[in-house]
Amino acid sequence: MFQAGELVIYGNSGVCQIKEVGVPGFSTGENAKSYYTLSPLHSTETIYTPVDTKVLMRTVISSTEAQTLIGQLPQLQEEDYSTCNTKWLANAYESSLQDYTCETLMKLIKSICMKNCEVILSRKKLNETDLKYLKRAEDLLYNEFSVALGVTEEDVKQIIEKTLEELMTQKVHG
C-alpha cells in the first residue's frame, strides 16, 4: 500500500502525488472503503481511486533507472509500424501505452521517430495517428523522467531527441 506524500504513476495520468489515504466523505455506510486521493503533478484535477484499484499504480522509477534506460536507447529494438492501416496502428500504439513501463514508452518513441526518418526520406509526413501516440508517449515518459532525474521535461526531451537524432543520422548515412 502506498503512503501519503509518495509519487506514483497512475495509469495514463502520469506522475501523481498521493495526498491522502483513507475513507473520503463520499464513501459512507457499510460499503465505505479506503481511497487514494491523487494530485497529478501537471494538472489541477484531483483523482480518487480505491486502494484496491485495478488501474496500474507503481512508484516512479529512480534516477539510476532513468539514466540506465536513456543509455540503452540506442540498443532498444524498434517495432515496425510501417503499415498504412491506421486502425491497426492505433491498437498497437494503445497496447504499448497500456504497458505503463518506461522501456516500452521509449521503444514506442524510438519506433515512431525512426518511422519518421523513413517517411521524410520518401518526402512524406507521419500521419495523425503516429503524431497523436508519439505525443502521448513523450508526455508520459518525459513527465516521469523529469521527476526521476530532477530536471525539466524540456531537458529530458532534449536528451532523448539528441540520442534519436544521432541514431537517425547513422541510419541515413550508414
Side-chain angles (χ1 to χ4, degrees):
M1 190 161 145
F2 299 104
Q3 304 299 316
E6 284 187 81
L7 293 175
V8 296
I9 299 298
Y10 177 71
N12 278 329
S13 296
V15 180
C16 298
Q17 183 174 36
I18 298 175
K19 293 296 187 184
E20 294 180 45
V21 181
V23 180
F26 63 79
S27 182
T28 59
E30 61 187 55
N31 293 327
K33 59 185 188 176
S34 289
Y35 281 74
Y36 292 116
T37 304
L38 306 174
S39 178
L41 293 189
H42 296 289
S43 78
T44 58
E45 69 183 321
T46 298
I47 299 170
Y48 297 94
T49 189
V51 295
D52 61 352
T53 184
K54 301 286 187 246
V55 176
L56 176 107
M57 282 182 72
R58 64 171 175 79
T59 57
V60 173
I61 65 169
S62 70
S63 175
T64 302
E65 291 170 311
Q67 291 170 344
T68 299
L69 281 169
I70 291 169
Q72 293 172 346
L73 181 57
Q75 289 79 39
L76 283 179
Q77 183 64 44
E78 66 258 17
E79 298 290 330
D80 180 8
Y81 293 122
S82 59
T83 183
C84 293
N85 183 330
T86 55
K87 186 172 183 166
W88 183 90
L89 272 178
N91 287 336
Y93 291 160
E94 194 63 43
S95 177
S96 289
L97 288 177
Q98 297 303 319
D99 183 56
Y100 301 111
T101 66
C102 293
E103 183 175 349
T104 301
L105 292 172
M106 284 184 61
K107 193 175 189 179
L108 180 60
I109 291 166
K110 180 180 180 183
S111 297
I112 296 173
C113 288
M114 297 310 275
K115 177 181 179 178
N116 188 38
C117 183
E118 296 289 328
V119 169
I120 288 170
L121 290 173
S122 63
R123 302 191 192 290
K124 296 181 183 178
K125 292 183 180 181
L126 286 177
N127 66 45
E128 290 300 316
T129 302
D130 294 316
L131 295 172
K132 172 185 169 183
Y133 284 96
L134 176 60
K135 171 115 176 71
R136 284 181 60 195
E138 287 174 336
D139 288 347
L140 289 169
L141 184 72
Y142 299 169
N143 177 239
E144 184 167 2
F145 275 20
S146 72
V147 170
L149 297 170
V151 298
T152 67
E153 287 185 41
E154 186 59 35
D155 291 338
V156 174
K157 180 178 181 173
Q158 289 174 1
I159 293 166
I160 301 291
E161 284 182 351
K162 181 177 185 255
T163 304
L164 289 171
E165 284 172 12
E166 290 169 2
L167 292 172
M168 288 187 272
T169 301
Q170 290 172 4
K171 187 171 187 166
V172 170
H173 300 299

